Structure formats: structure tokens, C-alpha cells
Amino acid sequence: MSGRDDSTAGVGTQGTLSAGAHDLYLAVIRTHGRIARKEVAESEYSYLSELLDIGLLVPDTDDPHVLLAADPQQLSSGLSATWQRQALELLARAIAIPGDLQGLADAFHNPDATGGTVEYVRGKAIINQRINHAVASAKEEVLAAQPGGPRPPEVLSQTLAEDIEDLRRGISARTIYHPSTRYHAPTRDYVATLTEAGGRFRTLDEPYTRLIIVDRALAVIPVAEDLNLAAFIHDPAVIHFLTHEVFERNWNRGLDFSGGRTVPQQVVSRMRQTIIDLLLDGTNHRVIARRLGISERTLARHLAEMREDYNVESLFQLGYALARSSRESHQGPANPAAPGGG
């Protein structure tokens, strides 16, 4: 998710040749510093372009189909001066751009100029950009409730370094996930790394709203179920309500999650009961897995282990056994233990 412009990447920015271009130049030297374009193999076209771009090969003024080797020593002096000048220009632009754009940034992030104490922002790209900027600018605390299943591994890897840096600079971070993340190895690794750095995570097995709160000065929530439209809230009273009556209550009902493979028995039991309820409603395996945020393979493992635990063969028998076990648990006996590893 880098915003850097890569249009200048290549030989000119690195000041070195690829091995293929280096060998091709030496081959031209061995042919008395001349080579016809048609003599260059197709597999070497990229190396030829590299030498032409840097100026180590130049067209013969008498015959443009013939290329001549240039003196590297003379070329290096000119390129060094040119690249140093370009580097200084880029450095000057890099130093100046924050000040040049500060006025526009103030207008972009000023709620009075963009809609008052509640801003409505449309478009996932803009929403994510605003959220990333707010989190990167946090001074004390970031609270996040992330319903749904695990995030893609590439997203986790992209944000890991920035999240660790936020924690190292003293930001307090708490995040609520869906219990299905306990079965997702990339999420477990991500949570374990951030927990070691000071982050805190819990899982909550009940419906809750996506919510991000930064320094208790900004709250972000989706508008209805439209993830393309978000409300950025700056009103202190509303933020106080969302912090204490929504996030903190959900946090207190959640279970600690440090990235370990062991899944708490109550998480396993509730997830498996949800699986049975959905199966008895006629929901197919693919839909169940998607709703729970787990893979179909993990779902199949749950079903196999439940059948083994209750010594039954069919899903109907399993549903009956679970219902009977639930009634007995209120009278004293506990449900059979079920494995909870990821």
C-alpha cells in the first residue's frame, strides 16, 4: 500500500547495471566496441535497452542500426553530476511538501469544513485512507471492534509493521475479533506478535457493530450495512457513549485472545451449537462456513469431532444428543469435553 511513485525505478535510480547488461557491454567491447542491433539475441533485448537508457551504448551517426560502446569513465562523471542534482531536487521537494499541503490537509480533516461533528465519507478507499491517517496520528489510544471473519493474510502482513510501531511509541490498542479468528493461523500469528508488543485482543461470540475510536476524539462506524459509507464522528458526547456503552461493554463480555492455538471451551461450544442450529435450519456447509468466518475444512473437522464426542453417526442424531446434553447440564452433568485446537 505504498504511495511512492515508482516511475523512476531502474538503472538510473540505483546507479548499477544488471548482470546481463554488464555481460552484454563486455561482449560489445570484445567486438571492437561495435554491434549491429540485429546481432543482439531476443533474450538480451532488455539488457540492450538498459545499456541504451544509461548511455553505455549509442547509435552510430553514420548507421543508426549499429551501436557503439561509450566510455564508462566519461559517462560516470556526467551521470553522477546529473543524479546528484536530481537527488537534491527530490530532497528539497520531500522537505517542502508537508508544509505545502498542510493547509489542504487541515481543510480535509477539519469537521467544521467537511460536515460538522458527523461526517459522511463514501468509498472504501477514501474511508480506509482517513482511518489509516487517524490511527497513524493517534497520541494515546486506538480501540477497534472488527466483526466478521479473519482479514486476508496480505492485509495483516501489510499493517503489522505499522501496528508494532504504534505500540512502541506508547499507543494503547485494544481490538475485538470474531471467535473464528482463533482458527486462522495468519491471524493467530499477527495477534501473538502484537500481544508481545503490548496490544490486547479479545473475541466476542455475539453480534456487534464495526467500530474504531481514536484518542476518544474520533469514532468511525459504518452507515447501516453499507461498507462503502462511513460516519466519522467528532461529537464528544456521542464518542463517550460509543466508548463506554458500546465498546467497553463488548470488551468486558469478550474472552482474552493472545494468539495461542488453544481455543476456550466456551468458544468451541457456542460455535458448534451455532453450526448445529444452522444445519437443522437446512443451511449448506459453504454458507455456514462463510457466516462463521471459518474454512469448510475447519467446519468438517468440527462436525467429525462432534460426532465422535457424542458417539453418533448422523447430523440429526447429533442435534438430538446436543439438545439432551443441554438439558442435563442445567441439572448438573457437564457436556463432554471437545477439542478446541486450531
Side-chain angles (χ1 to χ4, degrees):
M1 292 173 51
S2 173
R4 291 173 293 183
D5 183 356
D6 293 327
S7 60
T8 60
V11 174
T13 59
Q14 296 177 0
T16 57
L17 290 174
S18 66
H22 183 272
D23 292 343
L24 179 58
Y25 181 82
L26 292 179
V28 174
I29 293 297
R30 288 193 291 269
T31 58
H32 307 290
R34 297 171 61 87
I35 188 172
R37 290 179 184 266
K38 63 182 180 181
E39 295 175 1
V40 179
E42 185 175 350
S43 61
E44 297 180 312
Y45 283 175
S46 62
Y47 306 139
L48 178 63
S49 297
E50 193 175 335
L51 294 172
L52 288 169
D53 289 342
I54 199 173
L56 280 171
L57 289 182
V58 296
D60 189 337
T61 54
D62 296 327
D63 184 356
H65 298 291
V66 174
L67 302 175
L68 305 177
D71 182 350
Q73 187 172 5
Q74 293 182 0
L75 180 65
S76 65
S77 299
L79 285 179
S80 177
T82 299
W83 291 346
Q84 288 183 48
R85 184 176 65 253
Q86 291 176 349
L88 290 173
E89 292 174 353
L90 287 173
L91 179 60
R93 290 176 62 187
I95 294 173
I97 195 169
D100 292 345
L101 299 185
Q102 187 59 52
L104 298 179
D106 292 341
F108 186 82
H109 295 285
N110 182 0
D112 294 333
T114 53
T117 55
V118 178
E119 306 172 65
Y120 292 95
V121 180
R122 183 173 295 278
K124 287 184 180 180
I126 298 298
I127 292 171
N128 290 335
Q129 183 185 75
R130 294 285 300 274
I131 291 174
N132 291 339
H133 178 273
V135 172
S137 303
K139 295 179 175 60
E140 296 180 0
E141 179 186 60
V142 176
L143 308 175
Q146 302 282 7
R151 290 185 295 172
E154 59 271 17
V155 174
L156 296 173
S157 62
Q158 287 171 355
T159 62
L160 181 61
E162 295 177 355
D163 293 339
I164 291 176
E165 180 59 30
D166 289 339
L167 292 170
R168 287 177 176 171
R169 63 187 177 90
I171 302 301
S172 170
R174 288 184 286 158
T175 303
I176 301 173
Y177 279 146
H178 189 273
S180 61
T181 56
R182 294 177 181 267
Y183 295 92
H184 187 240
T187 300
R188 289 199 305 263
D189 294 341
Y190 170 84
V191 169
T193 300
L194 290 187
T195 298
E196 186 175 353
R200 298 176 62 193
F201 297 84
R202 289 186 178 182
T203 61
L204 181 62
D205 187 16
E206 60 184 67
Y208 59 91
T209 302
R210 189 178 305 275
L211 171 65
I212 296 174
I213 301 173
V214 180
D215 289 339
R216 310 204 179 192
L218 169 68
V220 184
I221 59 174
V223 176
E225 296 183 359
D226 186 358
L227 294 181
N228 285 307
L229 182 62
F232 284 65
I233 301 167
H234 304 268
D235 185 274
V238 178
I239 294 174
H240 183 273
F241 174 84
L242 291 174
T243 301
H244 295 278
E245 300 299 323
V246 179
F247 183 87
E248 293 293 357
R249 286 185 176 228
N250 287 337
W251 179 263
N252 290 334
R253 291 197 298 273
L255 296 175
D256 286 332
F257 178 32
S258 60
R261 292 177 59 87
T262 302
V263 181
Q265 180 58 40
Q266 57 209 100
V267 172
V268 178
S269 299
R270 292 190 63 173
M271 179 172 287
R272 291 184 174 180
Q273 185 59 57
T274 301
I275 291 171
I276 292 299
D277 292 341
L278 292 171
L279 284 172
L280 295 179
D281 285 341
T283 309
N284 67 49
H285 288 198
R286 179 172 298 178
V287 174
I288 292 174
R290 186 169 64 247
R291 287 188 184 180
L292 293 177
I294 60 178
S295 67
E296 292 185 59
R297 181 179 177 181
T298 299
L299 173 60
R301 187 170 73 248
H302 276 294
L303 293 173
E305 290 175 354
M306 284 190 285
R307 290 194 188 101
E308 182 179 348
D309 292 340
Y310 289 92
N311 194 27
V312 298
E313 296 182 359
S314 71
L315 293 176
F316 180 82
Q317 290 173 322
L318 180 59
Y320 175 79
L322 285 172
R324 183 178 63 184
S325 178
S326 178
R327 289 196 302 271
E328 292 176 351
S329 68
H330 289 88
Q331 302 171 359
N335 286 341

